[in-house]
Amino acid sequence: IPGGGEVHGWTGGASRAFPTEMILLFGDRCPLVSLSCFQTPQRIPYDEAVRQEFRPAKVGDSFGPTWETCWFKVELSIPPAWAGREVHFVWESDGEGMVWRDAQPVQGLTKEGEKTSYILTRSMKEPEPRSLTLYVELACNGLFGAGKGSMIAPPDPDRRFTLSKAELVVFNRDVYELLMDLEILLDMAQLLGEENQRSFQALYTANQMVNTCDVTDPSTFPAARDLAAAIFSQRNGESQHTIHAVGHCHIDSAWLWPYEETIRKCARSWVTVVRLMECNPELTFACSQAQQFEWVRSCYPGLYAQIQDFVAKGQFLPVGGTWVEMDGNLPSGESMVRQFLQGQRFFQEQFGRICSEFWLPDTFGYSAQLPQLMRGCGIGRFLTQKLSWNLVNTFPHHTFFWEGIDGSRVLTHFPPGDSYGMHGRVEEVLKTVKNNKDKGRVNHSAFLFGFGDGGGGPTQKMLDRMKRMTDTDGLPRVQISTPDRLFSALEKESSQLCTWVGELFLELHNGTYTTQAQIKKGNRECERILHDVEVLSTLAVARGSTFQYPASQLQRLWRLLLLNQFHDVLPGSCIQLVVEDALQYCAGEQGVWLGGHSPSGALWDLLGGAAGVSVLDCQEDGSIAMENGVIRESVPDGCCANQFALFDDVPLYWDAWDVMDYHLETRKPVTTLLKPLEITLAGGLRGSASFSLQIGESSTLTQEIILDATCPYLRFLTQVEWKEAHKFLKVEFPVQVQSTHATYEIQFGHLQRPTHWNTSWDWARFEVWAHKWLDLSEHGFGVALLNDCKYGASAHGNVLSLSLLRAPKSPDAMADITHHQFTYAVMPHLGSFQEGGVIQHAYNLNFPLHTVPASPAQCPAWSAFSISSPAVVLETVKQAEDRPEAVVVRLYEAHGSTLVAWLQTSLPVQEAMLCDLLERPVAQGRLLLEQRGLRLSFTPFRVLSVLLVLRQ
């Protein structure tokens, strides 16, 4: 037993304990022949590393600083006396290691992931080489980065990493198996409880094993193990709960480490899984995120070929269907479609099949539009566990149907152990059954085992624990299984399941709607740019120009955007190195447009004519009067609209993630003027006024308030020099509206949330998310708040609030400390928000018209598309993925109504048909080409994709 101590703890009175100096997991030891190292600040490939000059190294040496890489050359020789023995190369160090043998990665090493040895041979035989050279690639960062003082603190740039052990050992497999038996029996004795006779049977069996075992005589071990086997072989009844155990290794594509390190984390984790599969053919391993597969394919082709073999064998299981495990709230509807489109196409191309389950275990909430998007991408099953993190309310189900805003339903399962990183322990399988809130309705549940977040994955010890619980009386039945077998079993039992309608809102991490505002602004801008480039490129090709549709460039740019939508990047819960990478990717996408690579020939009018704007005067209280046709007073008497407020923002732990409800008690209106309000444009087509404010101790805000002719909203062009610490800046609009619910835009639609805190479920939504707009309306009148790059929002009582900036200090000490520019707008309207045109005007704010200098002869009047109903939004126009002669047009019903709309196009359409979100034609989906256009039937929030085959 490494580390000393005794096997003891019997409450039943074992006759003797195992003295550790006599029963050893590791037997003889042997030093290495030689050890040398080479250190570099770069992450370099193996071929380059082994050509470097290595210097002598020894156990006890320290290496660093953080993010450096040390390559070790290990020369070893197995003693002849160890013939027939199992021999391990033991390596214990800080940092994350990878063993290379014969120029291929063969084993990941990390103390935090309980992987500190590489098996050289299970039984040393004569033909095997006794002398060989290995290389160990050591990353100077831990499984969870290098936080200074705590896991989520900013990385310590000067951390050192010590090599504490490097040697050859004889591994006593019989001792290991004996200890595993005793561990399971002791856990059964302790955890099943005194009221359960199996607890006593396990205890007395363990006692007999100790009495039977002579630690000086290994020949007595089999008899002791037979006693354990007798207990483990006593079977369950047919009604026992079945646990579907699936290996897993959740790897954040970036978090407390940069993207580049994630590539190595994938390789270290997955090569370890491959080694386990070679020895355990029953092992299954669910692996998501097409981006990570692509990284390994590009950087580790030998390992990738082995993974492909195990995929074919049904052990290595691609799941999820998306490019990355994206944030579930903030990406646009089209971005979410592209996550599935890119992910499913990758899995089809590489492995011959698409995924049937959506896999998103660690994201901070789930949009109510996701069920429809899943269904449209060939997925009817969903797995997550993150709602177990709810701070206020316990979610009432673990297995249920989830229904989206359009009525689409998917079978959803939360592993009842509330984790995706189980270790195969008795305590965990018992919790899985006890905690299951639907055990009267279904008798199957998931159990995901393996070290996760920073990688690592399953271990042999986890597998060996569960082998002893396969079908043991007193414990749930534990089967190594697959997600497909789990969901198939749940589908057979689904007749009594409940249905949850609407969003799966995580009552935690509300600060991620606002943190790292530059990443969020870059996300919105890149979504807009890709939209515009696709539209213009498609139309340029369709009009017969020589322009070539930039399919490969667009795929590369979409994949960069999708990568940045990973659930620790777009939410802003990552270290500064990741922020720098993400902003660099955003800048690259913006350059596609700004660099002049968009197709020419499109001329859109910037402004229509009509009546002008008047800026009347500045009032004594600092307010300003503007008019272009007053609808009615929108702000209650005695209240100020566009009121900035600063809050203390000190979460309990998760700094970049959380904003706590108690921050609302610290509200301080911002009132210190640096520059008084003054008129900057007096009228005509545009009127404007500007002012500057002091924000907190060190920050300043300058704002231009703009009213354009014929524009129904008032714009606020805002610039902030932000230098705060643990502060939260919001802007508030009290409005003359009474309603119990506010409406918020989400992907391809909208939903309502309460404006009151009647229940704990209402109160937990004190800070929520929206996309381009939120609205508070009563019958006949309402006020909408629009924005061009913000996501955090709230509506309490009659106050609409937009969250602007936060200032957390972990894991990025410099989060948001920079210059910011953003625009929001307030829009009073008559009637409902649908009748008032809020949706269209929010699009106008986010998608400004482009102008291209051209003469009338160059650009005659021409309309590519028109739609007969204002309730239908034409969201996307792109070239079809596999048919360059075809165009995909995506539309959605935005008002929440059932209707028929006609889509007209001037494109030379030869054939039209409905397709799914993967662009596969829908059965009986052919559309007639009628004089009025294409007849499209919509139900509330339905997303339709139309495939238009053009005449050549």
Side-chain angles (χ1 to χ4, degrees), residues 21 59 173 186 294 327 329 389 391 414 440 529 559 561 620 702 838 843:
E21 66 271 18
V59 171
R173 180 67 59 178
L186 286 172
E294 174 60 21
D327 181 78
N329 301 320
W389 285 47
L391 192 63
F414 299 174
I529 289 168
R559 287 181 172 183
L561 175 59
E620 292 182 1
T702 301
V838 167
Y843 269 97

Side-chain angles (χ1 to χ4, degrees), residues 7 16 40 102 129 163 226 229 332 378 424 444 451 462 489 510 655 693 721 753 759 779 822 835 842 882 943:
V7 179
R16 64 179 187 271
T40 171
D102 299 328
L163 174 60
D226 288 343
S332 69
H444 296 259
F451 287 94
M462 297 175 190
N510 318 56
D655 200 1
L693 292 172
E721 290 292 341
R753 300 184 181 112
T759 71
H779 180 69
F822 49 86
E835 295 164 338
D882 295 319
V943 179

Side-chain angles (χ1 to χ4, degrees), residues 98-136:
M98 169 80 92
V99 180
W100 291 79
R101 182 174 182 176
D102 299 328
Q104 291 298 319
V106 293
Q107 176 69 52
L109 297 170
T110 168
K111 284 196 298 186
E112 296 163 287
E114 296 183 3
K115 298 176 182 70
T116 57
S117 67
Y118 166 57
I119 301 175
L120 294 169
T121 175
R122 292 189 176 272
S123 179
M124 188 66 200
K125 296 181 174 61
E126 191 57 41
E128 294 183 88
R130 291 196 304 106
S131 298
L132 65 153
T133 299
L134 306 175
Y135 287 88
V136 175

